[in-house]
Amino acid sequence: MSKSIKKIGVMTSGGDSPGMNAAIRAVVRTCAFHKVDCIGIYRGYQGLIEGDFKEMNARSVNNIVNKGGTILKSARSQEFRTVEGRKKAHSNAMEAGLDALVVIGGDGSFTGAMIFSQEFDFPVMGIPGTIDNDIYGTSSTLGYDTALNTVVEAIDKIRDTASSHNRLFFVEVMGRDVGHIALNAGVGAGAEEILIPEENLGKDRLLESLKRSRESGKTSSIVVVAEGDTTGENVFDLKDYVEQNLPEYEVRVSVLGHMQRGGSPSCWDRVLASRMGVKAVESLLDGKSNYMVGIQDSKITLCPIDQAVKGKTDIDLELLRVSDIMTT
């Protein structure tokens, strides 16, 4: 992988996240700064298989730093999971003169990049774009900060109506495997209880917490639930359980869903995307490959992409303790 890099492809893959456009902009403009050609690949790996390419320059990415989603679109490709599909993708990459690839996405996207690189000795670099913040090797992924702010704003509004009607609201947020959004947004929004996959507190503990809240004089409550929490079968099961055991509560459920992925990225995500995009391109030009760009202790770092795929993120246990104290 020591060949000279003269043309770099950039794609977004998997679920979209705020900050992806800012990262695309950074990759394209860093290529322009170093006089390297840049090709935008539409619809992720499926676009790579179908040759859905477009030449990009510094002006191609005007006015996108503030936009959510991804101008390059995204798609999940079953065909790329096959050897034949990856051969088509490589053939198109060679025909287009691509020397390296920047993949913006999550662990599934990085797995595809890693396999592609191994099979064809093709340089790749990953940028973590996912609101769940569940990628090992970085303290923050693109879109996570924006999603937190979106969730906190939504919970603040839900609390207004909860207080007005003396209601208990279960608010479900994204986080199938990890509870970073639920935990941080729950503390930030002052939730009375936070349910996450990493800590199954059980239904009895939930009831006791809600009873204490009621006895302490609280007339309304917010419980933030990560979608992967296993306290109940689902958030509606929890609602039914509380209504059966604490009939004094009027219970409602609000599932925030995909609104968490949308919206204009926060300043933090825009700056992070810009720093990561520059690092990704310049690392490829320095001859590096099979890394993910991350951030640790405010410094931009490189993590071997196989570690990013295989590693697991840890929940902040200190924040759990803070949450318990705040619900007193």
Side-chain angles (χ1 to χ4, degrees), residues 28 162 313:
V28 173
T313 60

Side-chain angles (χ1 to χ4, degrees), residues 130-135 138-142 144 178 180-181 313:
T130 169
I131 67 168
D132 289 338
N133 202 39
D134 59 349
I135 304 294
T138 183
S139 60
S140 186
T141 57
L142 297 184
Y144 175 57
V178 295
H180 295 299
I181 291 177
T313 60

Side-chain angles (χ1 to χ4, degrees), residues 4 18 20 48 75 90 99 112-113 117-118 121 137 146 171-172 176 179 204 211 223-224 228 247 261 284 308:
S4 175
M20 280 185 164
L48 191 60
H90 181 255
D99 299 311
S117 177
Q118 292 170 348
D121 194 30
T146 304
V171 181
E172 184 186 90
R176 186 175 62 249
D204 291 340
K211 286 177 182 177
V223 177
V224 178
R261 282 189 183 174
L284 286 169

Side-chain angles (χ1 to χ4, degrees), residues 24 27 72 79 84 100 102 107 118 140-141 147 187 246 261 281:
I24 294 167
V27 169
L72 291 178
E79 190 175 359
E84 293 76 14
V102 175
D107 57 357
Q118 292 170 348
S140 186
T141 57
V187 171
L246 297 175
R261 282 189 183 174
V281 172

